[in-house]
Amino acid sequence: MASIVTKIRRFLHTPQGRQARAHAERLARDPRARAKLRSLMGKRGAGGRRH
């Protein structure tokens, strides 16, 4: 059985995976999206980690 990392790597080499990666990279550069993410992570507490 393939590990989750192997499945993700395979997906990233598909056209849909490349498109998803490009979209994620655009969002990572967008200051508004970054601020929104920081806000959401702050609401979860403990730095966003679950135990």
mmCIF file of all heavy atoms in Angstrom:
data_model
loop_
_atom_site.group_PDB
_atom_site.id
_atom_site.type_symbol
_atom_site.label_atom_id
_atom_site.label_comp_id
_atom_site.label_asym_id
_atom_site.label_seq_id
_atom_site.Cartn_x
_atom_site.Cartn_y
_atom_site.Cartn_z
ATOM 1 N N MET A 1 0.841 -1.176 0.000
ATOM 2 C CA MET A 1 0.000 0.000 0.000
ATOM 3 C C MET A 1 0.891 1.247 0.000
ATOM 4 O O MET A 1 1.855 1.340 0.759
ATOM 5 C CB MET A 1 -0.880 -0.011 1.253
ATOM 6 C CG MET A 1 -1.881 1.096 1.281
ATOM 7 S SD MET A 1 -3.049 0.791 2.599
ATOM 8 C CE MET A 1 -3.036 2.349 3.377
ATOM 9 N N ALA A 2 0.563 2.190 -0.860
ATOM 10 C CA ALA A 2 1.355 3.412 -0.976
ATOM 11 C C ALA A 2 1.108 4.333 0.219
ATOM 12 O O ALA A 2 -0.013 4.452 0.700
ATOM 13 C CB ALA A 2 1.013 4.136 -2.261
ATOM 14 N N SER A 3 2.173 4.949 0.668
ATOM 15 C CA SER A 3 2.029 5.877 1.790
ATOM 16 C C SER A 3 1.360 7.163 1.300
ATOM 17 O O SER A 3 1.302 7.451 0.097
ATOM 18 C CB SER A 3 3.395 6.204 2.386
ATOM 19 O OG SER A 3 4.127 7.031 1.503
ATOM 20 N N ILE A 4 0.883 7.947 2.226
ATOM 21 C CA ILE A 4 0.221 9.204 1.886
ATOM 22 C C ILE A 4 1.185 10.141 1.170
ATOM 23 O O ILE A 4 0.803 10.853 0.242
ATOM 24 C CB ILE A 4 -0.409 9.865 3.139
ATOM 25 C CG1 ILE A 4 -1.268 11.072 2.751
ATOM 26 C CG2 ILE A 4 0.651 10.294 4.112
ATOM 27 C CD1 ILE A 4 -2.559 10.703 2.123
ATOM 28 N N VAL A 5 2.456 10.134 1.566
ATOM 29 C CA VAL A 5 3.449 10.998 0.921
ATOM 30 C C VAL A 5 3.623 10.589 -0.540
ATOM 31 O O VAL A 5 3.698 11.451 -1.425
ATOM 32 C CB VAL A 5 4.794 10.946 1.683
ATOM 33 C CG1 VAL A 5 5.872 11.718 0.946
ATOM 34 C CG2 VAL A 5 4.620 11.458 3.092
ATOM 35 N N THR A 6 3.659 9.311 -0.808
ATOM 36 C CA THR A 6 3.793 8.826 -2.184
ATOM 37 C C THR A 6 2.588 9.246 -3.010
ATOM 38 O O THR A 6 2.731 9.679 -4.157
ATOM 39 C CB THR A 6 3.936 7.294 -2.197
ATOM 40 O OG1 THR A 6 5.062 6.932 -1.398
ATOM 41 C CG2 THR A 6 4.129 6.775 -3.611
ATOM 42 N N LYS A 7 1.403 9.143 -2.434
ATOM 43 C CA LYS A 7 0.196 9.538 -3.155
ATOM 44 C C LYS A 7 0.197 11.032 -3.457
ATOM 45 O O LYS A 7 -0.197 11.455 -4.549
ATOM 46 C CB LYS A 7 -1.047 9.171 -2.344
ATOM 47 C CG LYS A 7 -1.291 7.682 -2.276
ATOM 48 C CD LYS A 7 -2.514 7.372 -1.457
ATOM 49 C CE LYS A 7 -2.741 5.879 -1.368
ATOM 50 N NZ LYS A 7 -3.954 5.547 -0.626
ATOM 51 N N ILE A 8 0.652 11.835 -2.502
ATOM 52 C CA ILE A 8 0.719 13.285 -2.717
ATOM 53 C C ILE A 8 1.730 13.603 -3.809
ATOM 54 O O ILE A 8 1.463 14.424 -4.697
ATOM 55 C CB ILE A 8 1.063 14.015 -1.405
ATOM 56 C CG1 ILE A 8 -0.108 13.893 -0.425
ATOM 57 C CG2 ILE A 8 1.414 15.470 -1.673
ATOM 58 C CD1 ILE A 8 0.201 14.356 0.981
ATOM 59 N N ARG A 9 2.878 12.955 -3.778
ATOM 60 C CA ARG A 9 3.898 13.192 -4.806
ATOM 61 C C ARG A 9 3.369 12.846 -6.191
ATOM 62 O O ARG A 9 3.603 13.575 -7.158
ATOM 63 C CB ARG A 9 5.148 12.383 -4.518
ATOM 64 C CG ARG A 9 5.987 12.979 -3.439
ATOM 65 C CD ARG A 9 7.256 12.202 -3.277
ATOM 66 N NE ARG A 9 8.120 12.869 -2.310
ATOM 67 C CZ ARG A 9 9.247 12.375 -1.884
ATOM 68 N NH1 ARG A 9 9.664 11.211 -2.314
ATOM 69 N NH2 ARG A 9 9.964 13.044 -1.012
ATOM 70 N N ARG A 10 2.661 11.730 -6.297
ATOM 71 C CA ARG A 10 2.078 11.349 -7.588
ATOM 72 C C ARG A 10 1.074 12.396 -8.053
ATOM 73 O O ARG A 10 1.053 12.770 -9.220
ATOM 74 C CB ARG A 10 1.387 9.991 -7.487
ATOM 75 C CG ARG A 10 2.332 8.848 -7.561
ATOM 76 C CD ARG A 10 1.573 7.562 -7.737
ATOM 77 N NE ARG A 10 2.332 6.479 -7.151
ATOM 78 C CZ ARG A 10 1.821 5.437 -6.526
ATOM 79 N NH1 ARG A 10 0.519 5.317 -6.389
ATOM 80 N NH2 ARG A 10 2.594 4.504 -6.042
ATOM 81 N N PHE A 11 0.227 12.858 -7.126
ATOM 82 C CA PHE A 11 -0.777 13.861 -7.468
ATOM 83 C C PHE A 11 -0.128 15.141 -7.967
ATOM 84 O O PHE A 11 -0.587 15.748 -8.937
ATOM 85 C CB PHE A 11 -1.671 14.162 -6.261
ATOM 86 C CG PHE A 11 -2.602 15.327 -6.475
ATOM 87 C CD1 PHE A 11 -3.684 15.206 -7.328
ATOM 88 C CD2 PHE A 11 -2.380 16.539 -5.850
ATOM 89 C CE1 PHE A 11 -4.536 16.275 -7.552
ATOM 90 C CE2 PHE A 11 -3.219 17.614 -6.052
ATOM 91 C CZ PHE A 11 -4.307 17.479 -6.912
ATOM 92 N N LEU A 12 0.966 15.558 -7.327
ATOM 93 C CA LEU A 12 1.619 16.813 -7.712
ATOM 94 C C LEU A 12 2.204 16.770 -9.117
ATOM 95 O O LEU A 12 2.478 17.813 -9.706
ATOM 96 C CB LEU A 12 2.694 17.189 -6.694
ATOM 97 C CG LEU A 12 2.157 17.626 -5.337
ATOM 98 C CD1 LEU A 12 3.303 17.859 -4.368
ATOM 99 C CD2 LEU A 12 1.302 18.871 -5.459
ATOM 100 N N HIS A 13 2.378 15.596 -9.671
ATOM 101 C CA HIS A 13 2.907 15.468 -11.029
ATOM 102 C C HIS A 13 1.802 15.399 -12.076
ATOM 103 O O HIS A 13 2.100 15.361 -13.268
ATOM 104 C CB HIS A 13 3.833 14.256 -11.140
ATOM 105 C CG HIS A 13 5.108 14.437 -10.385
ATOM 106 N ND1 HIS A 13 6.069 15.344 -10.762
ATOM 107 C CD2 HIS A 13 5.571 13.868 -9.250
ATOM 108 C CE1 HIS A 13 7.072 15.304 -9.910
ATOM 109 N NE2 HIS A 13 6.792 14.415 -8.975
ATOM 110 N N THR A 14 0.539 15.411 -11.657
ATOM 111 C CA THR A 14 -0.576 15.417 -12.600
ATOM 112 C C THR A 14 -0.901 16.862 -12.965
ATOM 113 O O THR A 14 -0.517 17.794 -12.241
ATOM 114 C CB THR A 14 -1.828 14.765 -11.992
ATOM 115 O OG1 THR A 14 -2.303 15.567 -10.912
ATOM 116 C CG2 THR A 14 -1.547 13.338 -11.520
ATOM 117 N N PRO A 15 -1.620 17.083 -14.058
ATOM 118 C CA PRO A 15 -2.011 18.458 -14.405
ATOM 119 C C PRO A 15 -2.831 19.126 -13.294
ATOM 120 O O PRO A 15 -2.618 20.304 -12.990
ATOM 121 C CB PRO A 15 -2.858 18.286 -15.669
ATOM 122 C CG PRO A 15 -2.357 17.025 -16.282
ATOM 123 C CD PRO A 15 -1.992 16.146 -15.123
ATOM 124 N N GLN A 16 -3.723 18.382 -12.656
ATOM 125 C CA GLN A 16 -4.516 18.946 -11.563
ATOM 126 C C GLN A 16 -3.632 19.297 -10.376
ATOM 127 O O GLN A 16 -3.845 20.310 -9.707
ATOM 128 C CB GLN A 16 -5.603 17.962 -11.113
ATOM 129 C CG GLN A 16 -6.647 17.686 -12.156
ATOM 130 C CD GLN A 16 -6.274 16.521 -13.062
ATOM 131 O OE1 GLN A 16 -5.187 15.950 -12.964
ATOM 132 N NE2 GLN A 16 -7.180 16.173 -13.961
ATOM 133 N N GLY A 17 -2.641 18.483 -10.102
ATOM 134 C CA GLY A 17 -1.726 18.741 -8.999
ATOM 135 C C GLY A 17 -0.880 19.976 -9.243
ATOM 136 O O GLY A 17 -0.658 20.784 -8.336
ATOM 137 N N ARG A 18 -0.408 20.140 -10.488
ATOM 138 C CA ARG A 18 0.369 21.335 -10.811
ATOM 139 C C ARG A 18 -0.492 22.588 -10.682
ATOM 140 O O ARG A 18 -0.029 23.627 -10.208
ATOM 141 C CB ARG A 18 0.956 21.214 -12.214
ATOM 142 C CG ARG A 18 2.110 20.215 -12.276
ATOM 143 C CD ARG A 18 2.859 20.288 -13.583
ATOM 144 N NE ARG A 18 2.088 19.792 -14.715
ATOM 145 C CZ ARG A 18 2.074 18.523 -15.123
ATOM 146 N NH1 ARG A 18 2.805 17.628 -14.501
ATOM 147 N NH2 ARG A 18 1.353 18.159 -16.154
ATOM 148 N N GLN A 19 -1.757 22.480 -11.089
ATOM 149 C CA GLN A 19 -2.664 23.614 -10.977
ATOM 150 C C GLN A 19 -2.921 23.944 -9.503
ATOM 151 O O GLN A 19 -2.918 25.111 -9.110
ATOM 152 C CB GLN A 19 -3.976 23.286 -11.676
ATOM 153 C CG GLN A 19 -4.942 24.437 -11.724
ATOM 154 C CD GLN A 19 -6.211 24.078 -12.476
ATOM 155 O OE1 GLN A 19 -6.512 22.910 -12.710
ATOM 156 N NE2 GLN A 19 -6.972 25.078 -12.857
ATOM 157 N N ALA A 20 -3.131 22.929 -8.678
ATOM 158 C CA ALA A 20 -3.370 23.147 -7.248
ATOM 159 C C ALA A 20 -2.140 23.775 -6.587
ATOM 160 O O ALA A 20 -2.266 24.671 -5.749
ATOM 161 C CB ALA A 20 -3.714 21.822 -6.566
ATOM 162 N N ARG A 21 -0.962 23.324 -6.975
ATOM 163 C CA ARG A 21 0.267 23.881 -6.411
ATOM 164 C C ARG A 21 0.426 25.348 -6.803
ATOM 165 O O ARG A 21 0.777 26.198 -5.966
ATOM 166 C CB ARG A 21 1.473 23.087 -6.889
ATOM 167 C CG ARG A 21 2.762 23.603 -6.330
ATOM 168 C CD ARG A 21 3.921 22.766 -6.771
ATOM 169 N NE ARG A 21 5.154 23.398 -6.338
ATOM 170 C CZ ARG A 21 6.341 23.010 -6.711
ATOM 171 N NH1 ARG A 21 6.484 21.982 -7.500
ATOM 172 N NH2 ARG A 21 7.401 23.631 -6.286
ATOM 173 N N ALA A 22 0.155 25.671 -8.061
ATOM 174 C CA ALA A 22 0.259 27.061 -8.516
ATOM 175 C C ALA A 22 -0.731 27.946 -7.759
ATOM 176 O O ALA A 22 -0.397 29.062 -7.358
ATOM 177 C CB ALA A 22 0.008 27.136 -10.017
ATOM 178 N N HIS A 23 -1.925 27.440 -7.540
ATOM 179 C CA HIS A 23 -2.939 28.201 -6.799
ATOM 180 C C HIS A 23 -2.478 28.434 -5.355
ATOM 181 O O HIS A 23 -2.602 29.542 -4.830
ATOM 182 C CB HIS A 23 -4.271 27.459 -6.826
ATOM 183 C CG HIS A 23 -5.374 28.164 -6.120
ATOM 184 N ND1 HIS A 23 -5.929 29.325 -6.595
ATOM 185 C CD2 HIS A 23 -6.012 27.885 -4.965
ATOM 186 C CE1 HIS A 23 -6.868 29.727 -5.766
ATOM 187 N NE2 HIS A 23 -6.933 28.868 -4.757
ATOM 188 N N ALA A 24 -1.939 27.406 -4.724
ATOM 189 C CA ALA A 24 -1.451 27.535 -3.349
ATOM 190 C C ALA A 24 -0.301 28.531 -3.266
ATOM 191 O O ALA A 24 -0.217 29.315 -2.317
ATOM 192 C CB ALA A 24 -1.022 26.170 -2.826
ATOM 193 N N GLU A 25 0.578 28.528 -4.259
ATOM 194 C CA GLU A 25 1.696 29.473 -4.268
ATOM 195 C C GLU A 25 1.194 30.908 -4.425
ATOM 196 O O GLU A 25 1.717 31.825 -3.793
ATOM 197 C CB GLU A 25 2.680 29.121 -5.376
ATOM 198 C CG GLU A 25 3.485 27.879 -5.067
ATOM 199 C CD GLU A 25 4.354 27.423 -6.215
ATOM 200 O OE1 GLU A 25 4.235 27.970 -7.341
ATOM 201 O OE2 GLU A 25 5.163 26.513 -5.995
ATOM 202 N N ARG A 26 0.170 31.114 -5.272
ATOM 203 C CA ARG A 26 -0.407 32.456 -5.418
ATOM 204 C C ARG A 26 -1.016 32.919 -4.104
ATOM 205 O O ARG A 26 -0.826 34.065 -3.689
ATOM 206 C CB ARG A 26 -1.479 32.467 -6.509
ATOM 207 C CG ARG A 26 -0.938 32.591 -7.909
ATOM 208 C CD ARG A 26 -2.024 32.915 -8.914
ATOM 209 N NE ARG A 26 -3.125 31.963 -8.915
ATOM 210 C CZ ARG A 26 -3.160 30.811 -9.579
ATOM 211 N NH1 ARG A 26 -2.127 30.470 -10.333
ATOM 212 N NH2 ARG A 26 -4.187 30.017 -9.532
ATOM 213 N N LEU A 27 -1.742 32.030 -3.425
ATOM 214 C CA LEU A 27 -2.343 32.397 -2.143
ATOM 215 C C LEU A 27 -1.281 32.701 -1.094
ATOM 216 O O LEU A 27 -1.455 33.598 -0.273
ATOM 217 C CB LEU A 27 -3.252 31.272 -1.637
ATOM 218 C CG LEU A 27 -4.584 31.110 -2.348
ATOM 219 C CD1 LEU A 27 -5.330 29.905 -1.795
ATOM 220 C CD2 LEU A 27 -5.436 32.358 -2.219
ATOM 221 N N ALA A 28 -0.185 31.969 -1.126
ATOM 222 C CA ALA A 28 0.883 32.184 -0.143
ATOM 223 C C ALA A 28 1.534 33.554 -0.313
ATOM 224 O O ALA A 28 2.036 34.120 0.654
ATOM 225 C CB ALA A 28 1.939 31.083 -0.275
ATOM 226 N N ARG A 29 1.503 34.090 -1.523
ATOM 227 C CA ARG A 29 2.088 35.410 -1.764
ATOM 228 C C ARG A 29 1.104 36.546 -1.497
ATOM 229 O O ARG A 29 1.515 37.699 -1.406
ATOM 230 C CB ARG A 29 2.584 35.508 -3.205
ATOM 231 C CG ARG A 29 3.831 34.697 -3.466
ATOM 232 C CD ARG A 29 4.419 35.006 -4.827
ATOM 233 N NE ARG A 29 3.517 34.669 -5.917
ATOM 234 C CZ ARG A 29 3.523 33.530 -6.610
ATOM 235 N NH1 ARG A 29 4.421 32.612 -6.319
ATOM 236 N NH2 ARG A 29 2.672 33.315 -7.577
ATOM 237 N N ASP A 30 -0.187 36.238 -1.383
ATOM 238 C CA ASP A 30 -1.216 37.259 -1.200
ATOM 239 C C ASP A 30 -1.273 37.692 0.267
ATOM 240 O O ASP A 30 -1.590 36.887 1.143
ATOM 241 C CB ASP A 30 -2.575 36.708 -1.630
ATOM 242 C CG ASP A 30 -3.702 37.715 -1.511
ATOM 243 O OD1 ASP A 30 -3.425 38.912 -1.351
ATOM 244 O OD2 ASP A 30 -4.874 37.292 -1.597
ATOM 245 N N PRO A 31 -0.979 38.962 0.556
ATOM 246 C CA PRO A 31 -0.973 39.425 1.953
ATOM 247 C C PRO A 31 -2.336 39.257 2.649
ATOM 248 O O PRO A 31 -2.382 38.942 3.828
ATOM 249 C CB PRO A 31 -0.606 40.902 1.855
ATOM 250 C CG PRO A 31 -0.004 41.084 0.519
ATOM 251 C CD PRO A 31 -0.573 40.025 -0.361
ATOM 252 N N ARG A 32 -3.431 39.453 1.922
ATOM 253 C CA ARG A 32 -4.757 39.299 2.540
ATOM 254 C C ARG A 32 -5.025 37.844 2.926
ATOM 255 O O ARG A 32 -5.562 37.568 3.992
ATOM 256 C CB ARG A 32 -5.854 39.804 1.602
ATOM 257 C CG ARG A 32 -5.867 41.323 1.478
ATOM 258 C CD ARG A 32 -6.900 41.755 0.505
ATOM 259 N NE ARG A 32 -6.497 41.255 -0.810
ATOM 260 C CZ ARG A 32 -7.220 41.327 -1.912
ATOM 261 N NH1 ARG A 32 -8.387 41.880 -1.896
ATOM 262 N NH2 ARG A 32 -6.772 40.849 -3.051
ATOM 263 N N ALA A 33 -4.633 36.924 2.053
ATOM 264 C CA ALA A 33 -4.834 35.505 2.342
ATOM 265 C C ALA A 33 -3.968 35.075 3.533
ATOM 266 O O ALA A 33 -4.414 34.298 4.377
ATOM 267 C CB ALA A 33 -4.509 34.657 1.118
ATOM 268 N N ARG A 34 -2.756 35.594 3.599
ATOM 269 C CA ARG A 34 -1.870 35.256 4.722
ATOM 270 C C ARG A 34 -2.435 35.776 6.035
ATOM 271 O O ARG A 34 -2.397 35.090 7.056
ATOM 272 C CB ARG A 34 -0.475 35.820 4.485
ATOM 273 C CG ARG A 34 0.235 35.101 3.351
ATOM 274 C CD ARG A 34 1.551 35.722 3.056
ATOM 275 N NE ARG A 34 2.473 35.456 4.145
ATOM 276 C CZ ARG A 34 3.777 35.513 4.031
ATOM 277 N NH1 ARG A 34 4.324 35.831 2.890
ATOM 278 N NH2 ARG A 34 4.539 35.254 5.066
ATOM 279 N N ALA A 35 -2.981 36.994 6.008
ATOM 280 C CA ALA A 35 -3.569 37.572 7.223
ATOM 281 C C ALA A 35 -4.781 36.754 7.663
ATOM 282 O O ALA A 35 -4.971 36.503 8.860
ATOM 283 C CB ALA A 35 -3.966 39.018 6.976
ATOM 284 N N LYS A 36 -5.575 36.330 6.711
ATOM 285 C CA LYS A 36 -6.755 35.516 7.032
ATOM 286 C C LYS A 36 -6.330 34.180 7.657
ATOM 287 O O LYS A 36 -6.914 33.737 8.646
ATOM 288 C CB LYS A 36 -7.570 35.277 5.768
ATOM 289 C CG LYS A 36 -8.870 34.564 6.005
ATOM 290 C CD LYS A 36 -9.655 34.461 4.711
ATOM 291 C CE LYS A 36 -10.969 33.762 4.933
ATOM 292 N NZ LYS A 36 -11.738 33.631 3.694
ATOM 293 N N LEU A 37 -5.315 33.569 7.103
ATOM 294 C CA LEU A 37 -4.819 32.305 7.640
ATOM 295 C C LEU A 37 -4.282 32.481 9.048
ATOM 296 O O LEU A 37 -4.567 31.682 9.942
ATOM 297 C CB LEU A 37 -3.733 31.729 6.727
ATOM 298 C CG LEU A 37 -3.118 30.413 7.172
ATOM 299 C CD1 LEU A 37 -4.187 29.333 7.273
ATOM 300 C CD2 LEU A 37 -2.035 29.991 6.221
ATOM 301 N N ARG A 38 -3.504 33.558 9.274
ATOM 302 C CA ARG A 38 -2.984 33.820 10.614
ATOM 303 C C ARG A 38 -4.125 34.005 11.601
ATOM 304 O O ARG A 38 -4.062 33.531 12.732
ATOM 305 C CB ARG A 38 -2.101 35.064 10.605
ATOM 306 C CG ARG A 38 -0.653 34.737 10.468
ATOM 307 C CD ARG A 38 0.221 35.947 10.726
ATOM 308 N NE ARG A 38 1.032 36.163 9.541
ATOM 309 C CZ ARG A 38 0.870 37.126 8.652
ATOM 310 N NH1 ARG A 38 -0.054 38.011 8.798
ATOM 311 N NH2 ARG A 38 1.655 37.213 7.609
ATOM 312 N N SER A 39 -5.175 34.699 11.178
ATOM 313 C CA SER A 39 -6.333 34.929 12.039
ATOM 314 C C SER A 39 -7.011 33.606 12.402
ATOM 315 O O SER A 39 -7.335 33.371 13.561
ATOM 316 C CB SER A 39 -7.318 35.853 11.336
ATOM 317 O OG SER A 39 -8.512 35.935 12.061
ATOM 318 N N LEU A 40 -7.190 32.753 11.418
ATOM 319 C CA LEU A 40 -7.837 31.457 11.671
ATOM 320 C C LEU A 40 -6.991 30.576 12.582
ATOM 321 O O LEU A 40 -7.514 29.905 13.474
ATOM 322 C CB LEU A 40 -8.100 30.732 10.356
ATOM 323 C CG LEU A 40 -9.178 31.331 9.465
ATOM 324 C CD1 LEU A 40 -9.197 30.622 8.116
ATOM 325 C CD2 LEU A 40 -10.532 31.238 10.133
ATOM 326 N N MET A 41 -5.676 30.576 12.355
ATOM 327 C CA MET A 41 -4.803 29.754 13.181
ATOM 328 C C MET A 41 -4.766 30.279 14.610
ATOM 329 O O MET A 41 -4.664 29.511 15.554
ATOM 330 C CB MET A 41 -3.384 29.726 12.600
ATOM 331 C CG MET A 41 -3.291 29.018 11.263
ATOM 332 S SD MET A 41 -3.863 27.323 11.308
ATOM 333 C CE MET A 41 -2.519 26.569 12.164
ATOM 334 N N GLY A 42 -4.860 31.581 14.793
ATOM 335 C CA GLY A 42 -4.859 32.163 16.131
ATOM 336 C C GLY A 42 -6.096 31.792 16.920
ATOM 337 O O GLY A 42 -6.045 31.621 18.136
ATOM 338 N N LYS A 43 -7.216 31.614 16.236
ATOM 339 C CA LYS A 43 -8.463 31.257 16.918
ATOM 340 C C LYS A 43 -8.438 29.836 17.453
ATOM 341 O O LYS A 43 -9.131 29.519 18.397
ATOM 342 C CB LYS A 43 -9.650 31.421 15.965
ATOM 343 C CG LYS A 43 -9.958 32.865 15.650
ATOM 344 C CD LYS A 43 -11.109 32.973 14.696
ATOM 345 C CE LYS A 43 -11.360 34.420 14.331
ATOM 346 N NZ LYS A 43 -12.418 34.555 13.336
ATOM 347 N N ARG A 44 -7.637 28.974 16.841
ATOM 348 C CA ARG A 44 -7.573 27.578 17.281
ATOM 349 C C ARG A 44 -6.798 27.433 18.571
ATOM 350 O O ARG A 44 -6.968 26.459 19.284
ATOM 351 C CB ARG A 44 -6.936 26.705 16.208
ATOM 352 C CG ARG A 44 -7.861 26.506 15.020
ATOM 353 C CD ARG A 44 -7.243 25.674 13.963
ATOM 354 N NE ARG A 44 -6.845 24.376 14.474
ATOM 355 C CZ ARG A 44 -6.215 23.482 13.770
ATOM 356 N NH1 ARG A 44 -5.899 23.737 12.530
ATOM 357 N NH2 ARG A 44 -5.864 22.327 14.277
ATOM 358 N N GLY A 45 -5.900 28.371 18.844
ATOM 359 C CA GLY A 45 -5.091 28.297 20.056
ATOM 360 C C GLY A 45 -3.950 27.319 19.938
ATOM 361 O O GLY A 45 -3.905 26.493 19.036
ATOM 362 N N ALA A 46 -3.044 27.383 20.844
ATOM 363 C CA ALA A 46 -1.882 26.486 20.920
ATOM 364 C C ALA A 46 -1.106 26.449 19.607
ATOM 365 O O ALA A 46 -0.578 25.416 19.220
ATOM 366 C CB ALA A 46 -2.296 25.074 21.326
ATOM 367 N N GLY A 47 -1.057 27.548 18.897
ATOM 368 C CA GLY A 47 -0.280 27.605 17.667
ATOM 369 C C GLY A 47 -0.834 26.756 16.547
ATOM 370 O O GLY A 47 -0.132 26.428 15.608
ATOM 371 N N GLY A 48 -2.090 26.365 16.638
ATOM 372 C CA GLY A 48 -2.702 25.577 15.584
ATOM 373 C C GLY A 48 -2.458 24.081 15.713
ATOM 374 O O GLY A 48 -2.829 23.319 14.841
ATOM 375 N N ARG A 49 -1.840 23.671 16.795
ATOM 376 C CA ARG A 49 -1.565 22.235 16.962
ATOM 377 C C ARG A 49 -2.686 21.576 17.741
ATOM 378 O O ARG A 49 -3.214 22.123 18.696
ATOM 379 C CB ARG A 49 -0.266 22.019 17.714
ATOM 380 C CG ARG A 49 0.931 22.388 16.918
ATOM 381 C CD ARG A 49 2.158 22.005 17.666
ATOM 382 N NE ARG A 49 3.317 22.173 16.815
ATOM 383 C CZ ARG A 49 4.530 21.984 17.229
ATOM 384 N NH1 ARG A 49 4.766 21.625 18.455
ATOM 385 N NH2 ARG A 49 5.541 22.152 16.401
ATOM 386 N N ARG A 50 -2.982 20.364 17.329
ATOM 387 C CA ARG A 50 -3.982 19.565 18.053
ATOM 388 C C ARG A 50 -3.289 18.385 18.713
ATOM 389 O O ARG A 50 -2.402 17.775 18.142
ATOM 390 C CB ARG A 50 -5.041 19.012 17.094
ATOM 391 C CG ARG A 50 -5.993 20.034 16.616
ATOM 392 C CD ARG A 50 -7.084 19.367 15.839
ATOM 393 N NE ARG A 50 -8.005 20.354 15.337
ATOM 394 C CZ ARG A 50 -9.074 20.054 14.669
ATOM 395 N NH1 ARG A 50 -9.365 18.821 14.396
ATOM 396 N NH2 ARG A 50 -9.876 20.996 14.256
ATOM 397 N N HIS A 51 -3.707 18.086 19.904
ATOM 398 C CA HIS A 51 -3.128 16.921 20.601
ATOM 399 C C HIS A 51 -4.237 16.031 21.087
ATOM 400 O O HIS A 51 -5.287 16.358 21.398
ATOM 401 C CB HIS A 51 -2.262 17.337 21.779
ATOM 402 C CG HIS A 51 -1.020 18.067 21.340
ATOM 403 N ND1 HIS A 51 0.050 17.422 20.796
ATOM 404 C CD2 HIS A 51 -0.701 19.375 21.350
ATOM 405 C CE1 HIS A 51 0.991 18.306 20.497
ATOM 406 N NE2 HIS A 51 0.534 19.503 20.833
#
